[in-house]
Amino acid sequence: MKNCRMGKNVLIEIDGLYKQLDVEEYVLGVMAGVVSPDYEEEALKVQAVLVRTNILKEMQERGTKDAEDIPYQYLTVEERKRIWGERQYDKYERKMERAVVDTAGKVLQAEGNLILACYHEVSIGKTASAKEVLGEDISYLQSVESNRDVEAKHYMNLVEYSWEEVANYISEYKNDKQEKNIQEKNIQEKENDSKDRRVEIQIEESSENGFVKKIKIAEDVYTGEEAMRMLHLPSMNFYVEEKEEGVRIVCLGKGNCMGISQYGANCMAKDGKKMEQILDYYLKNVSLKQYKEL
């Protein structure tokens, strides 16, 4: 990465020492944690552009270069070796590094601004629009077909919890939001009633494609995103099956399903599509540009 520098740095703490990393080196470390190194090179180039765009957008909007203020996880060389294994490290590192070098400085813009470069592991067979998931129409985040995703390992995910586990997740979530009185009440209820822990769960509103918008859990109503975080679900596209001893939650897709499907992008790359073609297919009305301070 010595010959690939943007000249813009990120301040990061590694092993107790603060270091200045060039943005391109930081992109490499973030990429390592969000995409499979087994993917095709054109798909990895797509990911490098997405990660770079998001990092620079966050730095710009937050007015910072401190990694602590940027919501991405950087994996050090040692962490990459541990995840990939010593034998595979050199091969995977070269692949990832090529993707960063070959796209150096390239970012996605719309109307002169860096975009929210959304991506996800697997879609539900088509991507979701921002309108469907966020309730906000964003011109470049529209729904497109991604049919091959239904073949993916993580297209459908089954999650099963006992009633006690559901109650615990509710308590933990509320505690995280500092609702301590409710947390204490739930703990007391658990002590008083250890046999019947059934929790009412009712999806009240879903989108046309099954993305949960409102769900009632016990006495409270949550958004689909809140329920996804609370119950540690892989996506917001799910339905609930109640059983005597707990619940089975069937989830489709993995991630927010907006923007680029990583699995779909890799399928397109295997079919010979180039990075630019993949970006043009999944993201509408965006431009691939060399980064300049805006």
Side-chain angles (χ1 to χ4, degrees), residues 112-131:
N113 298 312
L114 295 173
I115 72 166
L116 176 62
C118 292
Y119 57 88
H120 54 281
E121 189 172 329
V122 185
S123 78
I124 62 169
K126 61 181 178 180
T127 67
S129 68
K131 181 72 172 177

Side-chain angles (χ1 to χ4, degrees), residues 81-95:
K81 286 181 179 179
R82 185 169 64 251
I83 291 170
W84 295 336
E86 291 283 348
R87 291 185 179 182
Q88 298 281 16
Y89 170 75
D90 287 337
K91 179 180 77 170
Y92 288 159
E93 184 79 354
R94 284 195 300 270
K95 280 185 71 177

Side-chain angles (χ1 to χ4, degrees), residues 53-291:
T53 300
N54 284 335
I55 288 170
L56 290 169
K57 181 179 175 66
E58 290 287 347
M59 292 176 69
Q60 183 182 84
E61 291 183 348
R62 295 171 185 250
T64 185
K65 66 174 185 177
D66 193 332
E68 285 291 322
D69 300 325
I70 304 172
Y72 302 104
Q73 182 180 6
Y74 173 85
L75 298 184
T76 64
V77 170
E78 290 72 24
E79 288 169 328
R80 288 174 234 164
K81 286 181 179 179
R82 185 169 64 251
I83 291 170
W84 295 336
E86 291 283 348
R87 291 185 179 182
Q88 298 281 16
Y89 170 75
D90 287 337
K91 179 180 77 170
Y92 288 159
E93 184 79 354
R94 284 195 300 270
K95 280 185 71 177
M96 290 285 195
E97 192 170 299
R98 271 198 306 272
V100 175
V101 171
D102 289 350
T103 64
K106 293 187 183 298
V107 293
L108 295 165
Q109 295 183 13
E111 300 178 353
N113 298 312
L114 295 173
I115 72 166
L116 176 62
C118 292
Y119 57 88
H120 54 281
E121 189 172 329
V122 185
S123 78
I124 62 169
K126 61 181 178 180
T127 67
S129 68
K131 181 72 172 177
E132 184 172 18
V133 175
L134 302 178
E136 176 186 357
D137 189 23
I138 299 176
S139 63
Y140 51 83
L141 293 177
Q142 302 298 321
S143 177
V144 301
E145 296 296 322
S146 194
N147 297 324
R148 297 279 293 278
D149 287 24
V150 300
E151 305 166 3
K153 178 180 179 181
H154 296 299
Y155 165 69
M156 179 180 288
N157 301 277
L158 300 179
V159 179
E160 293 189 322
Y161 295 132
S162 68
W163 291 120
E164 184 175 353
E165 288 173 321
V166 172
N168 286 338
Y169 281 137
I170 295 171
S171 295
E172 288 170 6
Y173 183 77
K174 288 182 173 181
N175 190 46
D176 287 342
K177 294 180 70 174
Q178 298 182 344
E179 295 182 13
K180 295 182 179 179
N181 292 335
I182 298 176
Q183 169 73 358
E184 291 167 1
K185 179 173 180 262
N186 284 343
I187 292 172
Q188 185 63 45
E189 287 176 352
K190 182 177 177 181
E191 292 172 352
N192 293 339
D193 188 4
S194 59
K195 292 183 179 180
D196 184 9
R197 297 297 301 154
R198 181 178 291 273
V199 176
E200 181 185 0
I201 301 178
Q202 181 66 47
I203 294 175
E204 297 193 336
E205 184 181 352
S206 293
S207 74
E208 179 182 355
N209 293 308
F211 290 92
V212 174
K213 292 181 175 292
K214 290 183 182 179
I215 181 171
K216 185 176 182 181
I217 303 177
E219 298 301 319
D220 299 305
V221 176
Y222 301 92
T223 65
E225 184 179 3
E226 288 173 328
M228 179 179 71
R229 291 201 305 268
M230 181 194 303
L231 299 174
H232 304 280
L233 304 178
S235 84
M236 288 169 52
N237 193 300
F238 63 88
Y239 61 90
V240 180
E241 299 174 344
E242 291 194 13
K243 303 185 298 178
E244 184 64 30
E245 65 276 14
V247 292
R248 176 187 292 116
I249 304 174
V250 182
C251 302
L252 295 184
K254 193 167 185 182
N256 60 29
C257 290
M258 293 187 296
I260 288 183
S261 161
Q262 292 175 321
Y263 185 88
N266 194 52
C267 288
M268 291 182 70
K270 286 181 178 179
D271 290 341
K273 301 297 184 184
K274 298 298 184 183
M275 171 191 70
E276 293 83 357
Q277 293 173 298
I278 297 170
L279 290 170
D280 285 344
Y281 178 75
Y282 280 104
L283 298 172
K284 306 305 179 185
N285 307 312
V286 301
S287 300
L288 186 63
K289 303 279 190 181
Q290 283 296 125
Y291 177 74

